[in-house]
Every structure is written in structure tokens, then in C-alpha cells.
Amino acid sequence: MTKYLAKIGLEMHCEVSETKTKVFSAARNEYSGSPNTNVRPLDMGFPGTLPVVNKEAVRLALMASIILNCKQPKYIYFERKNYYYPDMPKNFQITQETKPIPVGIYGEVTYECDDELKKVRVNNIHLEEDAASLDHFYDTSNIDYNRAGVPLLELVTEPDIHSAKEAVAFLEHMRSVYQYAGISEADSKKGQIRCDVNVSLMDASLDETDPNNWGTRAEIKNINSFGGVRDAINYEIERQTEILENGDEVLQETRRWDEESGTTIRMRSKVDAIDYKYFVEPNIPKYKVTKEWLDEIKASIPELAWNRKQKYINEYGLSSYDAGVLVKEKDISDYFEECVKLGIDVKQAANWVSVNIIGELNKEDILIKDFYLTPEMLKQIIDAVNKGILSSKQAKEVFNKAILEKKEPKNFISKDNAQISDKGELTKIVVEILDNNQEQIVQYKGGRDNIFDYFVGQVMKMTRGKANPVLTKEILHDELDKR
Ligand code: ADP
Ligand code: MG
């Protein structure tokens, strides 16, 4: 049996959500409202309308290009990709082909997969407009033009990815780049990320850097979740392996991922590929990209997840694993940084955020921005722990109560509940109890070890459970030894 190496190339589409308006019209850059309420004549392809390039969208696209170590163009051009489809009322999409250069070509991305660093070459990254969205029902389809013209970045990788796991790690890395750089929320639940996945198998004993050794690829279109990408790749590797094992040939074709059956389904052969008749968009003059502008954009790139992770490891002394958990989502990392800014001990903050808070977000399936407990409120709990007012068990209870009742933790923290951790105070209580239990002391000294627990119980009873248990036992041992 031949051993196969999977070659996977991704075309990752991510909407640029952080501009005010669409990429070529003045409509707001959002489409969550009622259908067809956020549409300008240009978005509908009305005759006589002209596109106006959104400079902020180009700036963010160039920022992505710089982060991906791509080569940037001297001029920005746009091109028409001509086709007819109801989600594309102009009958063409304004996009960028690789010639002339789009916002970036020939880059390289380093990402982590299972604690190993991997590299993927970027073929190109380009800026285009999103299409409208279609909702298909049993015998009718509804169309919503709100999404038409939302800025979209398409990133095309070389087939340097070798497994579903690597593909997902790469996509997670890119999501984090887009979020940290302030380019996009990159939320696949909102449909902001969609991928085409290209998969082929080659003989693993051959040199993978030589494209002549690559196998025939299948392209799976328009997968809208990372789980879908993972499953589609695994399915496709299995399907192609079977074909090759039977001595047959993999066909070059376009397939689609069918979530329900968990399979990919043939759409069309790649041989009769559509000719889009690309040409330079005549209504958008070419636009000079100056070195000054690029320098300015470069200087404005915010701290990315990778840098934050290094900071957490080197300055805060967190483990690589813990740091990784904290930086995975920018909003969570921001929350953690806010805690540190408020003066919460770094390790305590890291622990509370990565265990209790992330646990709660996962359990409730909510985002941290919708989470009731603010860093200030978390501080109330942690301060109370550090002052010995709350035991760690009580702290967790206060945490749960605060989020359940949506009331600040301080309402549930009172000095009356304070744990007694004062050695002098506890010693007094222990001595009093021992004085009143002479008979039990004799039994204990006579070898009945379990009487010790009886004494602990007496201390707890007297303090209504507030005695620090570790300290109580320590004092009991000392005082019993003296008798
Ligand atoms: P197309 O326009 O037909 O989609 P491209 O040349 O733009 O073709 O390639 C699209 C994607 O296919 C890229 O991500 C590329 O890395 C990937 N790709 C090309 N050849 C292979 C192959 N043999 N196996 C897997 N992926 C491939
Ligand atoms: Mg393609």
C-alpha cells in the first residue's frame, strides 16, 4: 500500500467588519438588520452608479498583507469578475486578480499546531466585495441585498498544509490575526468566515516541493465553519485514498460539503471551468500606494496574539499552555489584561479567567462581552480571598451567585462570613474545647486517632464552619502534644 501525503490549499474569505461603510458604497457595513434595509443604488447595480473605494478597507487589507509578510503593490487596481447570479445584481463582482498585484502576494505565515511551529506560503491576498445572501426554502428562495458590497478579504495559500488539524490551526491563527489587528470580528457564527478547501494526495516518498509530484485536487466550496473544514478534509482524504487504492484516478472537480450527510458531493468538473472575462474595473482609477502610507500602516499594527503570548510567558511567568488559552480570543485576553491593570495578581487572574470564566462562557455558550461579571467585580472576589474573608470554596459560590442573580459580588461578601485565619484567635478556641473535653483527650492519647476529627468538628461547630481548616488542624496537633 502506497503511503500518501495530503496536500491542502485554502482559500479563506473573511469579511472586513471594522469599517463604517461598504467597500464601494456608502451603505453601513452590516447586514444583521431586516432584509434589504441597508442597500444603496450601487449595491443593486443600478445604471449610472459609480463605485467609490473605501480607503479604510484598503488600509486594513494592506495591513493584513503586511502581517502576512506579503509583497505590496505600487498601485491598487480593481477588476471585474463577470458572471450572472441573483446574489450579484451588477452581473460582475469587483475583485482583484493576481495581475496586476492585489493587496498582497507571496507571503508566509508561521502558526502553531500542537506546540509545533508550521509555515504556510501565501499565494496572494485580495480585497473584493461580498455578494448578497440567499435563503433557500422548499419552493422559493429569498434574497437579501444587505450583504452586497460588504468588504471581503480572500487569502489564498499554497498547498503547504497536510492535515485537517493543521488546516484548523491555521484558520484559528488567521482568525486571531484578524481580530487582534482590528480588521474583523472574524466570527464564523455570523458567517464572516467562509473557506474553499483544495485537497489532493501524492506519493509520500516523492519530493513535495516539486509541483509535478502533486496529485489531482478536488476543490470543496464554501464551507462556513472550522468544524466543517476539518470534517470535509478528513472525508476527502478518505475518499481519494480509496480511489487511489482501487487503482483509479481522482478527477479534478468542484465539490460541496454536505453538513447533514458528512460527505462532499460533486458539483461540476473543473475542466469546464467558468471563464470570468476579467478586466480592470474602468470606474476605479488606479491608486498609488506610497511607501509613507505603508510605513504608517505598519507602525499602526496593534499587538498581536503571538506577542501577547510571549509577554505572558516571559513577563508574567505563565506556562505556554496557560498563555495560549488566554490569548486565543482577543476579547478574553483584553479582559485578562484589564484584571492585571486593576492590580489583581497575575497568576490569580490567569487562573480565574482560564478556569472559571472560560468554563462559564463555554457552559452558557456566550461571549465574554455578554458576561455579567466585569474585571472590577472579579477583583471584589479575589480581594476577599486574599484578605481571608472568603475560602476558595466560598469564593466560587459568590462567583456563581453573582452571575446567577446579576448582582455585584460585594453583596454576597460579608465580614460575618469571614474565615477565621487568625492563629491567636483559633488557639484560644482550641484550648477552650480541649479544656472541656478531658475524657476525649485521654481516649485520643490511648490510641483512638479518630477522636482528632471529633475535636476538629467541635472547633467548626463553635465557629459555625468559619475556622480555617488547615490552621485548625495544625493548632490542634500542637495543643494536643502539649497535654
Ligand atoms: P482556482 O482558481 O482554480 O481555484 P488556484 O490556482 O487559484 O486555482 O488555486 C486555488 C487553491 O488550490 C490554492 O489554495 C492552491 O494552493 C490549491 N492547490 C493547487 N494545486 C493543488 C494541489 N495539487 N493540491 C491541493 N491544493 C492545490
Ligand atoms: Mg479556487
Side-chain angles (χ1 to χ4, degrees), residues 94-137:
I94 304 181
T95 178
Q96 299 182 302
E97 264 284 274
T98 43
K99 278 176 215 137
I101 306 179
V103 289
I105 49 167
Y106 308 146
E108 189 177 70
V109 181
T110 305
Y111 69 98
E112 252 180 89
C113 181
D114 284 346
D115 274 335
E116 242 182 87
L117 292 182
K118 306 262 179 191
K119 280 193 198 310
V120 172
R121 285 168 301 150
V122 173
N123 177 284
N124 78 84
I125 178 162
H126 57 268
L127 179 63
E128 57 191 22
E129 54 183 341
D130 207 344
S133 50
L134 282 162
D135 267 326
H136 300 291
F137 300 97

Side-chain angles (χ1 to χ4, degrees), residues 203-309:
D203 184 336
S205 66
L206 300 176
D207 174 14
E208 70 157 311
T209 63
D210 181 353
N212 291 319
N213 294 331
W214 299 353
T216 307
R217 72 178 149 127
E219 175 176 22
I220 307 126
K221 284 271 182 207
N222 230 337
I223 309 176
N224 55 23
S225 73
F226 291 0
V229 169
R230 179 196 58 219
D231 296 344
I233 290 175
N234 284 331
Y235 177 83
E236 199 51 33
I237 290 176
E238 224 173 276
R239 185 184 73 88
Q240 294 183 18
T241 303
E242 207 169 301
I243 292 173
L244 295 174
E245 287 299 300
N246 288 337
D248 294 330
E249 272 183 37
V250 174
L251 299 175
Q252 182 158 352
E253 57 189 9
T254 302
R255 303 177 70 87
R256 72 178 173 85
W257 171 242
D258 185 63
E259 191 93 37
E260 239 150 72
S261 64
T263 63
T264 64
I265 297 168
R266 178 191 155 90
M267 289 164 72
R268 57 177 181 263
S269 153
K270 198 75 180 176
V271 191
D272 43 67
I274 311 147
D275 180 358
Y276 294 114
K277 306 266 188 247
Y278 284 99
F279 62 86
V280 172
E281 164 61 54
N283 291 326
I284 301 177
K286 68 175 182 182
Y287 183 95
K288 189 161 171 55
V289 179
T290 61
K291 186 176 174 298
E292 289 71 39
W293 196 32
L294 287 176
D295 287 343
E296 202 181 295
I297 295 171
K298 197 172 189 172
S300 72
I301 297 172
E303 186 179 39
L304 300 179
W306 172 258
N307 309 99
R308 277 202 192 175
K309 188 173 172 187

